[in-house]
Amino acid sequence: MDKLIIEGGAKLRGEVTVSGAKNAVLPILAATLLTDDACIIKGVPDLLDTNTMIKILSSLGKNVDVENGVISVTAAKSGNFVADYKLVSTMRASFCVLGPLLGKLKKAKVSLPGGCIIGVRPVDLHLKGIKALGANVDIDSGYVVAKADRLKGGHIYLGGAYGSSVLATDNVMMAAVLANGKTIIESAACEPEVVDLAEFLIKMGAKIKGHGTPIIEIEGVKHLHGATHTIIPDRIEAGTFLVAALITRGDIHIKNVFFQHLGALIDKLQEAGAAITKKDGSVRVRYQRPFKAINVTTLPYPGFPTDMQAQIMALMSVTSGISVITEKIYPDRFMHVAELNRMGAHIQREGPHAIVEGVKGLSGAPVMASDLRASACLLLAGLAAHGKSTVSRIYHLERGYEDMEEKLKKLGANIRREKE
Ligand code: UD1
């Protein structure tokens, strides 16, 4: 296992290019299971999670070739419908092979992903959705076993206690594209990554309308064919660089950005005082005074993304004033609070709220990454802190950020990697 050593204090400056979106590429790779034809996916980020999905596809009979961010998927032998515990347990998003396996083969046996550090993370909405399409669903020895003689369209309400679900919407959409008749998903997730998946499915011959809104309509077709698709830029990576510029009091130019995907975050950063200018698929962000504390509540898209909550908390921890950060998607996603406090932050957790009292500066310390976005938060805190920080367990970072360390170095950050 590697760790990152950061000497804080450098103001980040220069240009950085955002990679393809992790949360788009994973379901899109899963969607290639819906056809035996060749699919070509471009702009694929080189991530641990992408590699896990490639292993799952190979285990399910696909040939996968990767070259320079382009993945070609062809069928070697179709028919395996079992997604193994070892692979699914390492990455929750693996569960999105359930929908396409069921859609194509009318049967699927997929390990339950289990909980994770950010919360319980049930799959009841996924199961409700595929049952409404006519599948019989059993839980057997930790696996979901779903079968149907034929899938038929249905009217499905997919809202849960915490709003819509991204991967449940993906799973149901991927099962419904090959069902008989029309499916309506109500309270569908509107995230750009769901839209990107729908666009890929449409290129494969699916009939989908309303993606990007809470009501998605799918007219089932008999057969899907191969397609070529380019993954959208990662809005969370872009957001992490926006915060990186501000937390280091820097000035950076972020390229390959769909700023329409960053509305809630940009709005909040401007409210705090950031100078942000958007031009031709890129964003320039510059720290300027006065810069003040803001309150943030995470919500499903187009609300403020939960995947940016930890990073904005790092920024607020060094911003004067009091900030209340409310987590409405994963009420337990606060593992980074204790680590930030170890660096001198003043953050108190009250249920789903974190009350952040901005301090003048953080001091470098050894800290431990607990999950993907918490690791980004600690890295950002380390960049802003006085002195040396060591972030352990950075494999979490590598699950979801392509080349983060190198990209930050090019912007002037003082980072090096060491074996633990
Ligand atoms: C996706 C993203 C993840 C992001 C999250 C919320 C991928 C690969 N991951 O995860 O980065 O943090 O969206 O934007 O795209 N829930 C239920 N029952 C279910 C499913 C979900 O109650 O069957 C709850 C969850 O526990 C959570 C909320 O719904 O409280 C939203 O979760 P969901 O949108 O499903 O997250 P993922 O799709 O797993």
Side-chain angles (χ1 to χ4, degrees), residues 121-133:
R121 305 190 77 175
V123 293
D124 55 316
L125 297 171
H126 301 241
L127 303 190
K128 176 182 172 184
I130 58 166
K131 280 182 193 165
L133 296 174

Side-chain angles (χ1 to χ4, degrees), residues 137-163:
V137 179
D138 285 316
I139 306 293
D140 182 16
S141 311
Y143 281 76
V144 171
V145 184
K147 283 187 195 138
D149 292 334
R150 55 198 269 276
L151 292 174
K152 54 178 182 11
H155 192 125
I156 306 155
Y157 180 79
L158 265 193
Y162 300 100

Side-chain angles (χ1 to χ4, degrees), residues 306-385:
T306 175
D307 286 350
M308 282 302 302
Q309 183 255 103
Q311 299 90 315
I312 201 89
M313 193 180 300
L315 178 61
M316 288 300 109
S317 72
V318 290
T319 301
S320 83
I322 305 266
S323 159
V324 179
I325 298 179
T326 304
E327 177 54 67
K328 289 225 171 153
I329 310 289
Y330 299 112
D332 287 324
R333 189 176 209 177
F334 286 115
M335 299 302 286
H336 41 285
V337 168
E339 298 300 292
L340 285 173
N341 283 343
R342 295 192 67 252
M343 299 176 76
H346 284 177
I347 307 170
Q348 199 184 330
R349 182 177 164 195
E350 302 268 357
H353 311 286
I355 296 136
V356 187
E357 190 190 338
V359 294
K360 280 225 155 16
L362 298 174
S363 66
V367 287
M368 198 173 284
S370 54
D371 67 81
L372 168 56
R373 305 306 169 186
S375 60
C377 152
L378 297 176
L379 183 53
L380 294 172
L383 291 172

Side-chain angles (χ1 to χ4, degrees), residues 151-190:
L151 292 174
K152 54 178 182 11
H155 192 125
I156 306 155
Y157 180 79
L158 265 193
Y162 300 100
S164 53
S165 162
V166 173
L167 287 175
T169 303
D170 290 347
N171 254 332
V172 176
M173 194 160 63
M174 288 191 277
V177 284
L178 288 177
N180 287 317
K182 184 172 182 167
T183 296
I184 296 183
I185 307 176
E186 239 188 285
S187 197
C190 302

Side-chain angles (χ1 to χ4, degrees), residues 199-257:
E199 293 294 341
F200 177 59
L201 293 169
I202 290 168
K203 287 180 187 168
M204 296 173 84
K207 292 193 174 152
I208 303 176
K209 284 197 297 196
H211 44 299
T213 80
I215 300 181
I216 299 181
E217 282 183 35
I218 301 152
E219 193 65 56
V221 295
K222 290 226 153 21
H223 171 82
L224 292 181
H225 49 74
T228 298
H229 187 73
T230 302
I231 300 294
I232 54 168
D234 197 304
R235 64 194 165 102
I236 305 301
E237 186 193 348
T240 303
F241 281 117
L242 283 166
V243 174
L246 296 170
I247 203 168
T248 61
R249 302 344 189 193
D251 178 355
I252 68 179
H253 200 107
I254 309 168
K255 292 164 84 175
N256 193 30
V257 173

